[in-house]
Amino acid sequence: MRIDVLTLFPEMFEGPFKASIIGRAVEAGAVEIHVHNFRECARDKHHTVDDAPFGGGPGMVLKPEPIFDAVEKVRSGGGQRGPLIYLTPKGRQFTQSMARDLSSLDGFILLCGRYEGVDQRVIDHLVDLELSIGDYVLSGGEPAALVVADAVVRLLPGALGDEASTLEESFSDGLLEYPHYTRPAVYRDFEVPPVLVSGNHEAIRQWRKEQSINITNSRRPDLVRRTHTLEARNENG
Ligand code: 9D3
């Protein structure tokens, strides 16, 4: 996979793309990430990327020319044929299912906005998909691009060392996770639930399922399907 990022703040990607899962996936050759400063595509001597909005009002708008040029350069250069994704508070909210869809692509381009956003003609004639990462205000699209890249890259074969990803879907079943414990069995008088050290694997499986359903019911009732609700009732008597 190849991910191109268009941003005015390329330095915001240096640490995150070197460290952690993404860094490992890059090292393993599962993904190539190219970060471009589209200020370099501005033609005037001051490399202007923004201007005042037509019609008046506060703030600045990102000009179309540097962004069109940057996208066209990326698409002709790296052979990138994937969609252009614009990170914006007005976008559809990013989900795990979108991460899965994106992980099957050859590549995509992430466009990060700043100020009041991009000229609408960029959206109308260049952008394929507008994504938000949730209902809170960021100062720009960069943290959202990092979130999308992380969620997608960890799904690529070879990114996690493989084992975890397959386990994830079959077991968690759309529920929040059960509590985890490790040694020591007693720490400052705080004991691990006895069932976990009982050696009874069926009892452990049941306990974990019940814990998952209960924590999901109390924190994220929107995630709990009817089948889970019935299971919880059965297992709780
Ligand atoms: C100060 C401008 N705001 C007017 C009320 C609108 C606004 C524009 C641009 C607010 C935030 C931003 C910058 N945010 C993003 O570019 C962004 C974002 C976000 O803020 N929240 C969740 N997902 C995303 S994706 C991109």
Side-chain angles (χ1 to χ4, degrees):
M1 168 174 285
R2 173 172 167 146
I3 302 175
D4 287 271
V5 181
L6 305 181
T7 173
L8 293 173
F9 297 93
E11 63 279 7
M12 287 183 71
F13 295 88
E14 283 167 19
F17 281 170
K18 258 183 235 149
S20 79
I21 301 279
I22 299 189
R24 245 223 271 157
V26 171
E27 291 302 307
V31 63
E32 239 178 81
I33 303 181
H34 299 264
V35 181
H36 315 270
N37 187 345
F38 62 84
R39 186 178 294 280
E40 290 171 10
C41 291
R43 305 280 180 84
D44 65 312
K45 73 169 179 192
H46 292 110
H47 296 284
T48 310
V49 291
D50 61 341
D51 203 341
F54 272 125
M60 296 292 269
V61 176
L62 290 169
K63 294 163 65 61
E65 305 96 310
I67 296 175
F68 271 82
D69 286 1
V71 170
E72 282 160 12
K73 206 170 134 194
V74 163
R75 288 210 160 122
S76 61
Q80 173 79 249
R81 289 285 170 274
L84 175 63
I85 301 170
Y86 175 45
L87 288 315
T88 166
K90 291 159 74 175
R92 288 177 58 203
Q93 190 163 327
F94 183 61
T95 62
Q96 186 62 23
S97 145
M98 294 180 195
R100 251 180 265 118
D101 291 345
L102 292 177
S103 74
S104 70
L105 299 179
D106 244 18
F108 51 86
I109 307 171
L110 296 172
L111 172 61
C112 304
R114 280 273 153 175
Y115 318 113
E116 298 309 306
V118 301
D119 184 295
Q120 185 63 30
R121 290 166 291 186
V122 169
I123 297 168
D124 293 345
H125 303 292
L126 202 57
V127 166
D128 298 293
L129 178 65
E130 294 175 76
L131 292 182
S132 158
I133 59 164
D135 293 339
Y136 33 79
V137 182
L138 303 173
S139 47
E142 286 80 8
L146 285 168
V147 165
V148 170
D150 186 273
V152 170
V153 166
R154 65 180 289 285
L155 297 175
L156 299 177
L160 280 183
D162 285 341
E163 350 64 44
S165 53
T166 39
L167 268 177
E168 172 176 62
E169 293 227 51
S170 60
F171 207 160
S172 73
D173 212 6
L175 296 173
L176 302 181
E177 287 202 356
Y178 53 80
H180 302 280
Y181 295 88
T182 186
R183 275 176 287 276
V186 182
Y187 174 67
R188 298 189 178 187
D189 287 349
F190 309 142
E191 291 174 12
V192 164
V195 64
L196 296 180
V197 292
S198 69
N200 183 340
H201 299 292
E202 179 55 21
I204 292 170
R205 193 197 62 77
Q206 271 183 33
W207 181 86
R208 285 177 167 168
K209 181 91 192 205
E210 184 188 307
Q211 292 289 314
S212 277
I213 293 169
N214 290 345
I215 193 77
T216 310
N217 258 321
S218 65
R219 294 191 184 173
R220 294 292 309 277
D222 56 301
L223 295 180
V224 182
R225 290 173 310 159
R226 185 173 158 71
T227 51
H228 289 135
T229 315
L230 292 172
E231 281 179 77
R233 284 202 197 113
N234 292 341
E235 286 178 18
N236 297 331

